[in-house]
Amino acid sequence: MAPVQEKKLLGAAGAPDTLENTIEDEEGQNLWSSILSEVSTRSLSKLPSGKNILVFGEDGSGKTTIMAKLQGAEHNKNGRGLEFLYLIVHDEDRDDQTRCNVWILDGDLYHKGLLKFAASAESLTDTLAVFVADMSRPWTIMESIQKWASVLREHIDKLKIVPEEMRRLEQELVKHFQEYVELEEASQGSPQRRGHPVSGTEDEEVVLPLGENVLTHNLGIPVLVVCTKCDAVSVLEKEHDYREEHFDFIQSHIRRFCLQYGAALIYTSVKEEKNLDLLYKYIVHKMYGFQFTTPALVVEKDAVFIPSGWDNEKKIAILHENFTTVKPEDAFEDFIVKPPVRKLVHDKEVAAEDEQVFLMKQQSLLAKQPATPTRANDSPARAPTGSPRPSSRSGPANVASVSPMTAVKKPDPNLKGAAANEGVLANFFNSLLSKKTGSPGSPSAGGVQSSAKKAGQKPVLTDVQAELDRMTRKPDSMSANDTSPTENED
């Protein structure tokens, strides 16, 4: 009987153990269920993948450079056709990250057919369009963004999205535009995720109607206009005489465009790293719903930021108050005129010519020129010393032939200078002869006067002939004396 009682006692004692095991099993199941629910919740709260950014812009506008800068790459090679890169989006709140695809379309319209690989009917709901405009060439801004907006509109129409789905996308974009509110920096909640309003309910929220010219070109996807190279504002002021009125006029037209498409506007500069961090935060805010607390910035002309839903016609009209030489309704291309193209004249490098080649050229040029007659050929009657020589020393009949005036041939009309010099010499010798004949101290002065009285001017001519003979003998004697030493040396 004792063993039976022991068994009973053991059975009675084991009942509490069974209850404990049952409780432990239930707690284990609850633990696993909580783990599974937490995992499922985390999987639902993870950052979504498959988001796409479509980037449009002209060649050289800086669209690839600015996206590579957001990616963290310092240098990125420009491609052709349709470029692809991605941005790493990190959620610090849940320690999660994902990739955001970036598709950059070539500036040539020939490649617009490649958009079918970047944006399909299924991925359009997760797509953001970015239109890049070059501020260093402001005269191309409006034409560029309007062109690329029409390209995107044409591509969306080709996707043949169900009308109900397209209408839903358009209404969602309108709702986001109307519900825009500026969040304060000190708002409660996650530093990234959008916080819920502290007070008030959804029923108490008042949605204002859309203003005039707002979302008249609804694409169904969010749009962002990015003006690059805004550091060129100072260059435009110096080289093209741009004033505050020009920049306000440009901003006014861009903001009107943004109103029509429900787009945001941001001025950036990669060179000065201006508003790049702001651009990244706004992109992840629109794509992933991260909290965004930066208000609109309209004070600095080269760092403008206008989020989607903030702007309206009245705020744009504030810019028109500074207009003096232009009206708000004037055409953009009439006031922002493309400057004339300046032809760059490059200074050609001058190479020194070889000396021998240069001399050969000069020799050939001299050979082609006609020979010019020299003074010696024109006046053979003149002596090398410049003094006139008579052709004969006897007879008064030769006086005319040896006179300075008659000894010189008729000068060439081309050699006026030579003729003038000969005339001066002739006058000089005539003055010498007149002084000689008229001086009272000369030995033949009395004879000349007496002979002049008796026979007129003929004795005077004889005296002149004698004087010339005497003058010509002196150079001959002097030349004989000069040649005699050399003959003796020989």
Side-chain angles (χ1 to χ4, degrees), residues 188-265:
Q188 299 284 338
S190 168
Q192 286 190 339
R193 294 286 180 181
R194 180 187 295 272
H196 296 285
V198 178
S199 62
T201 61
E202 294 182 358
D203 297 335
E204 295 177 358
E205 294 180 0
V206 178
V207 179
L208 298 177
L210 294 177
E212 187 180 359
N213 298 325
V214 178
L215 280 173
T216 56
H217 299 71
N218 195 335
L219 297 176
I221 60 175
V223 179
L224 174 61
V225 176
V226 179
C227 291
T228 57
K229 305 180 184 180
C230 291
D231 52 278
V233 168
S234 59
V235 179
L236 294 173
E237 292 176 339
K238 294 178 182 178
E239 296 185 359
H240 302 289
D241 197 22
Y242 273 44
R243 304 181 302 276
E244 291 287 341
E245 187 177 16
H246 290 81
F247 298 110
D248 290 343
F249 186 79
I250 294 170
Q251 185 186 145
S252 171
H253 275 261
I254 299 177
R255 287 169 65 175
R256 286 179 181 175
F257 172 87
C258 292
L259 278 182
Q260 294 176 356
Y261 288 86
L265 172 64

Side-chain angles (χ1 to χ4, degrees), residues 19-39:
L19 293 174
E20 291 178 1
N21 293 334
T22 304
I23 294 173
E24 290 178 358
D25 293 340
E26 291 178 356
E27 290 179 353
Q29 290 178 359
N30 293 335
L31 178 62
W32 280 109
S33 61
S34 62
I35 293 174
L36 291 174
S37 62
E38 184 179 354
V39 170

Side-chain angles (χ1 to χ4, degrees), residues 249-464:
F249 186 79
I250 294 170
Q251 185 186 145
S252 171
H253 275 261
I254 299 177
R255 287 169 65 175
R256 286 179 181 175
F257 172 87
C258 292
L259 278 182
Q260 294 176 356
Y261 288 86
L265 172 64
I266 183 169
Y267 284 19
T268 62
S269 172
V270 175
K271 183 178 180 181
E272 298 180 355
E273 295 187 354
K274 185 174 294 184
N275 282 350
L276 296 182
D277 186 55
L278 180 62
L279 174 61
Y280 175 80
K281 289 181 179 179
Y282 189 76
I283 288 177
V284 297
H285 160 68
K286 298 297 290 184
M287 300 292 287
Y288 300 97
F290 286 0
Q291 186 178 11
F292 186 78
T293 58
T294 304
L297 306 173
V298 293
V299 177
E300 298 182 12
K301 58 188 174 183
D302 58 346
V304 176
F305 169 64
I306 299 175
S308 175
W310 178 85
D311 211 0
N312 54 44
E313 289 286 349
K314 292 183 179 179
K315 294 179 180 178
I316 297 176
I318 298 175
L319 297 174
H320 303 162
E321 298 175 358
N322 299 326
F323 290 176
T324 57
T325 60
V326 67
K327 298 180 181 179
E329 61 272 10
D330 288 348
F332 185 82
E333 59 274 6
D334 292 342
F335 189 62
I336 308 299
V337 183
K338 181 180 179 181
V341 180
R342 299 177 182 177
K343 295 182 179 180
L344 298 177
V345 180
H346 299 284
D347 296 334
K348 295 182 179 180
E349 184 178 356
V350 180
E353 191 176 9
D354 185 67
E355 184 178 359
Q356 296 300 322
V357 175
F358 172 76
L359 293 176
M360 291 294 292
K361 288 182 179 180
Q362 297 301 319
Q363 184 180 9
S364 61
L365 292 175
L366 291 174
K368 293 178 181 179
Q369 293 180 357
T372 56
T374 60
R375 186 179 298 178
N377 296 333
D378 292 341
S379 56
R382 292 188 59 188
T385 57
S387 60
R389 286 179 178 270
S391 58
S392 176
R393 297 182 182 179
S394 60
N398 296 330
V399 173
S401 63
V402 297
S403 64
M405 296 299 292
T406 58
V408 181
K409 291 184 178 181
K410 186 176 181 181
D412 192 349
N414 296 329
L415 300 175
K416 294 182 179 180
N421 293 334
E422 292 174 358
V424 172
L425 290 174
N427 294 333
F428 173 71
F429 283 111
N430 287 332
S431 63
L432 289 177
L433 292 175
S434 62
K435 288 180 181 180
K436 294 268 185 183
T437 54
S439 60
S442 59
S444 58
V448 171
Q449 292 177 358
S450 60
S451 60
K453 290 179 181 180
K454 296 179 180 179
Q457 295 297 328
K458 290 183 180 180
V460 175
L461 295 176
T462 305
D463 293 338
V464 170

